């Protein structure tokens, strides 16, 4: 029982030391992508289009529709797309 108490105390002490670093890591950045939950799924706002999934976006990211069961995804604007794909505006 003493060993269990020692492990719990050590776990609590290390957790308390980690809290400040976790809180500073969780601060919001200016260029953070906009995420939202719709119908139980997460969506990312990519150039005024909600794309299913969580993406890291920048100014070169665009939303595209890829046929054949793939659907809407976010890609870099210089990515070579398969035939039949369409950029979404």
């Amino acid at each position: 029982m003493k060993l269990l108490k020692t492990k719990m105390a050590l776990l609590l002490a290390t957790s308390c030391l980690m809290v400040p670093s976790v809180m500073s890591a969780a601060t919001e950045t200016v260029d953070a992508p906009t995420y939202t939950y719709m119908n139980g799924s997460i969506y990312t706002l990519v150039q005024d289009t909600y794309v299913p999934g969580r993406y890291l976006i920048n100014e070169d990211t665009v939303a595209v529709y890829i046929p054949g069961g793939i659907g809407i995804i976010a890609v870099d604007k210089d990515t070579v797309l398969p035939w039949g794909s369409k950029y979404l505006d």
Side-chain angles (χ1 to χ4, degrees):
M1 189 68 172
K2 188 174 183 178
L3 182 62
L4 178 64
K5 287 182 182 179
T6 304
K7 286 182 179 181
M8 292 299 287
L10 184 61
L11 180 64
L12 180 64
T14 55
S15 298
C16 292
L17 294 174
M18 290 173 44
V19 169
S21 62
V22 170
M23 293 196 54
S24 65
T27 56
E28 185 175 342
T29 59
V30 176
D31 297 332
T34 304
Y35 300 114
T36 187
Y37 290 97
M38 293 188 290
N39 301 327
S41 298
I42 192 164
Y43 287 77
T44 305
L45 184 64
V46 179
Q47 295 186 356
D48 300 328
T49 302
Y50 281 106
V51 178
R54 184 182 297 254
Y55 294 94
L56 295 174
I57 60 172
N58 60 21
E59 62 275 354
D60 295 332
T61 305
V62 292
V64 296
Y65 172 75
I66 300 178
I70 304 296
I72 300 173
I73 63 170
V75 297
D76 188 75
K77 68 180 180 180
D78 296 329
T79 303
V80 177
L81 299 173
W83 184 82
S85 301
K86 298 178 183 177
Y87 290 100
L88 302 176
D89 294 327

